[in-house]
Amino acid sequence: MTSRRTFLQQSAAVAAAITLIPRPSRAMSTDKRPLIVSTWPFGKAANEQAMKALQAGGSPLDGVEAGIRQTEDSGNLSVGLSGKPNAAGFGQLDACIMNGPGHQAGSVAGLEGIRHPISVARRVMERTPHVMLVGQSARDFALSEGQESIDTSNHPALSAKWWAQQERQVRPTDVNADNHDTIALLVLGADGTLAGGCSTSGLAGKMPGRVGDSPILGSGLYVDNQVGAAGATGIGENVMRYCATFLIVEFMRQGATPTEACQQVIDRIRSLDPKPNELGICFVAVDKQGRYGAAGTTEFPYAVTYPGYSEVEKVAAYPGN
Ligand code: GLY
């Protein structure tokens, strides 16, 4: 398991390796499929795992699951069982997955002690008549599906002591590798089909039972196979009150590029929110044409992978209105 110190050292190394790439222009189309886009620098390893799955003959959905499983296993401090605990000192994980063909979706929230929430979400989608399962019932379902459980009761990061040992209080508006990340990963397949997924341990120190945006369709993730897909990271409450990723896809439907659609949603939220300067939200999006983009209220590095290219790109904090 990666220690906090090691994680921060790795994060610093990744940050140093970030390549500054200009924001894609309005007309930019990669026409290089499959295209994989995900949140944060750690998304690069997830993208590359997703690409391997696609190159092995997997579907975009297989790519999403393989990529996010990589992050859930990576020692990430905000995704999977290595993620930060809630206020009571234990982890409650959220995830969802969407498959463009058939507009299928599956989701889990408040899942405890299961190694791969994204795989449980996929099984909810594929093996139940439902879309979302929560809490102990989601765990029972995961176990009935043979999903691996891990006893985290002695995990050093998942204890009330962890909080006492923190060097500083986590401020809820910080959106960074220290307190609050989410993997949202979008795939545009070589055949033009779309899929996406999202997985997180949620806001560090959240109230037990709190569910964020990540497992909520149209908030943390939305995929429309006719138009595009979008994913979110940041303060879930500020995403889910606005159905942000649904709105991004709708703006793309109306003709906006992925970058413009992400910016327009930030504009919309800023225009409505009583605390427009404390949002702490970031988005990635891809469209059916193979264009991609991002925007955030903070500087936002995100990962982009297509054949012959795999880099962390970065957008500056999107200016206020
Ligand atoms: N964006 C993840 C969460 O707020 O839980």
Side-chain angles (χ1 to χ4, degrees), residues 34-36 46 49-54 57-69 96-107 118-127 185-198 217 221 223 225:
L35 168 66
I36 306 162
Q49 194 63 39
M51 184 63 86
K52 275 188 201 162
L54 298 176
S59 65
L61 191 70
D62 294 330
V64 167
E65 184 181 11
I68 292 180
R69 283 172 68 99
C96 77
I97 198 162
M98 284 191 80
N99 195 26
H103 208 70
Q104 299 171 298
S107 171
I118 193 67
S119 297
V120 186
R122 180 171 180 173
R123 276 153 188 74
V124 171
M125 178 177 88
E126 292 181 335
R127 301 189 188 177
L185 187 147
L186 313 172
V187 176
L188 174 67
D191 64 353
T193 60
L194 286 153
C198 207
L217 306 174
L221 176 78
V223 177
N225 208 44

Side-chain angles (χ1 to χ4, degrees), residues 78 94 180-182 198-204 206 210-215 220 232-240 280:
S78 294
D94 298 337
H180 193 98
D181 290 328
T182 296
C198 207
S199 181
T200 189
S201 56
L203 183 65
K206 63 189 177 183
R210 177 266 192 188
V211 173
D213 60 313
S214 302
T233 181
I235 308 297
E237 285 74 4
N238 295 339
V239 173
M240 61 205 296

Side-chain angles (χ1 to χ4, degrees), residues 155-179:
H155 191 294
L158 294 178
S159 71
K161 263 192 200 163
W162 183 91
W163 288 102
Q165 290 164 352
Q166 290 310 289
E167 294 139 12
R168 63 183 176 84
Q169 280 292 326
V170 173
R171 291 179 300 145
T173 50
D174 285 344
V175 182
N176 55 44
D178 271 355
N179 79 330

Side-chain angles (χ1 to χ4, degrees), residues 244 247-248 251 261-270 283:
L247 201 51
I248 290 169
F251 284 150
C262 293
Q263 292 174 341
Q264 286 171 13
V265 165
I266 291 176
D267 287 340
R268 169 75 63 87
I269 295 174
R270 278 193 172 133
F283 303 110

Side-chain angles (χ1 to χ4, degrees), residues 209-298:
R210 177 266 192 188
V211 173
D213 60 313
S214 302
I216 307 296
L217 306 174
S219 288
L221 176 78
Y222 196 66
V223 177
D224 181 324
N225 208 44
Q226 294 181 337
V227 176
T233 181
I235 308 297
E237 285 74 4
N238 295 339
V239 173
M240 61 205 296
R241 288 183 292 122
Y242 299 99
C243 300
T245 57
F246 176 79
L247 201 51
I248 290 169
V249 171
E250 289 309 300
F251 284 150
M252 290 193 291
R253 191 192 306 279
Q254 292 166 18
T257 66
T259 298
E260 289 166 348
C262 293
Q263 292 174 341
Q264 286 171 13
V265 165
I266 291 176
D267 287 340
R268 169 75 63 87
I269 295 174
R270 278 193 172 133
S271 73
L272 294 172
D273 200 273
K275 295 183 178 172
N277 299 318
E278 298 177 26
L279 292 169
I281 51 177
C282 303
F283 303 110
V284 288
V286 301
D287 70 11
K288 192 82 172 163
Q289 290 76 44
R291 297 178 296 186
Y292 61 90
T297 58
T298 60

